[in-house]
Amino acid sequence: MRALLLAAGLGTRLGELTKSVPKCLVEVGGEPILGRLLRQLSAAGVTEFLINTHHLESQVREWVGSSEWRDAIQLTHEPMLLGTAGTLRRNWDFFQGSDGMVLHADNYFDFDLTELRLAFQERPRGVDMTMLTFIADDPSAFGVVELDDRRVVIGFHEKVVNPPTALASAATFAFSPMIVDAIEQLPPDSADISRDLIPLLLGRINVLKMSTQVIDIGTLESLVKARELEQF
């Protein structure tokens, strides 16, 4: 299996920290969050990685070149940010017709990503993608899903007031090459997987619910929370 790690964000909500360090190289538990994710994905059976870059690209390239995964990683630089859906569409050939994963390189998981791969392998007939989900404390801050009795997504609501459920997307997906039809339907200016691609795949996505939350380390508050968890 191959994985696209989205690492091109500016990380502006982290203030001074990401003026000198790209967000994916911010440390949690004494190592860059990117390194932690690569370990977790490798343990889940992912063997090839594509990482997109933009902000402080040279630092990411230097870190990758000295990492234990250097021979398994390809980098793709975006002089102008394409957005998550734009990056997936631009680099679709990377997956070479095989199953894949896509996730943000600044997410902290206290969770075995092998479970996501297994849930995808055991997906119901007619399902082409598995979404990692969790129960959100503030569901209005996330995209939330409505499910049928097979745990297949039949409704998706991105950061709405009074969301109908608290089951939130962790923006982490395993997928088959069959989703290419939806990717080809995306308008040229489509930028976001959750906002633009997921609505085209309703009825074709099942979910795996984590018992813990995913932490986007994009704010100082969430970064502190992730670092505190790593102390235990």
Side-chain angles (χ1 to χ4, degrees):
M1 181 174 273
R2 295 176 167 231
L4 168 60
L5 286 90
L6 301 163
L10 298 176
T12 53
R13 292 177 297 163
L14 285 169
E16 292 296 318
L17 180 59
T18 44
K19 287 185 178 180
S20 57
V21 179
K23 186 163 60 167
C24 66
L25 296 186
V26 170
E27 291 195 354
V28 176
E31 69 175 330
I33 191 71
L34 177 58
R36 177 187 171 86
L37 280 172
L38 288 167
R39 280 195 296 105
Q40 291 176 297
L41 288 165
S42 296
V46 178
T47 57
E48 300 289 333
F49 307 92
L50 179 66
I51 301 172
N52 70 330
T53 63
H54 176 74
H55 178 57
L56 300 175
E57 176 267 347
S58 62
Q59 288 191 38
V60 180
R61 185 173 298 277
E62 181 179 356
W63 184 89
V64 166
S66 62
S67 77
E68 62 186 277
W69 299 278
R70 57 186 174 275
D71 294 332
I73 294 175
Q74 298 178 43
L75 295 174
T76 178
H77 183 59
E78 297 179 8
M80 295 184 63
L81 291 172
L82 299 174
T84 56
T87 298
L88 181 61
R89 176 171 49 194
R90 173 74 65 85
N91 296 284
W92 183 250
D93 288 347
F94 162 74
F95 296 99
Q96 298 184 355
S98 65
D99 295 339
M101 289 187 187
V102 59
L103 65 162
H104 291 268
D106 55 359
N107 278 348
Y108 172 92
F109 297 97
D110 184 17
F111 179 79
D112 185 353
L113 290 173
T114 303
E115 294 186 34
L116 175 61
R117 182 173 185 174
L118 292 176
F120 173 68
Q121 291 173 343
E122 297 168 1
R123 66 195 185 274
R125 183 184 298 273
V127 166
D128 297 313
M129 175 182 278
T130 300
M131 174 192 293
L132 195 60
T133 62
F134 63 98
I135 299 297
D137 294 333
D138 178 12
S140 65
F142 299 92
V144 300
V145 296
E146 295 179 275
L147 308 178
D148 66 12
D149 56 7
R150 298 186 306 154
R151 301 191 65 77
V152 171
V153 178
I154 56 174
F156 183 78
H157 308 270
E158 178 70 8
K159 298 179 182 177
V160 297
V161 178
N162 299 320
T165 77
L167 188 61
S169 169
T172 299
F173 310 96
F175 56 84
S176 87
M178 297 297 291
I179 70 166
V180 68
D181 65 316
I183 290 173
E184 290 174 345
Q185 291 178 49
L186 289 170
D189 60 349
S190 294
D192 190 79
I193 290 174
S194 294
R195 186 183 64 246
D196 300 318
L197 180 60
I198 296 305
L200 298 177
L201 291 169
L202 295 181
R204 296 168 60 185
I205 306 169
N206 71 324
V207 304
L208 172 64
K209 186 174 76 171
M210 294 188 293
S211 57
T212 59
Q213 290 197 18
V214 61
I215 300 175
D216 169 8
I217 64 162
T219 68
L220 289 173
E221 180 182 15
S222 59
L223 176 59
V224 168
K225 182 178 179 180
R227 285 176 170 173
E228 288 175 345
L229 286 173
E230 275 298 288
Q231 293 176 5
F232 296 97

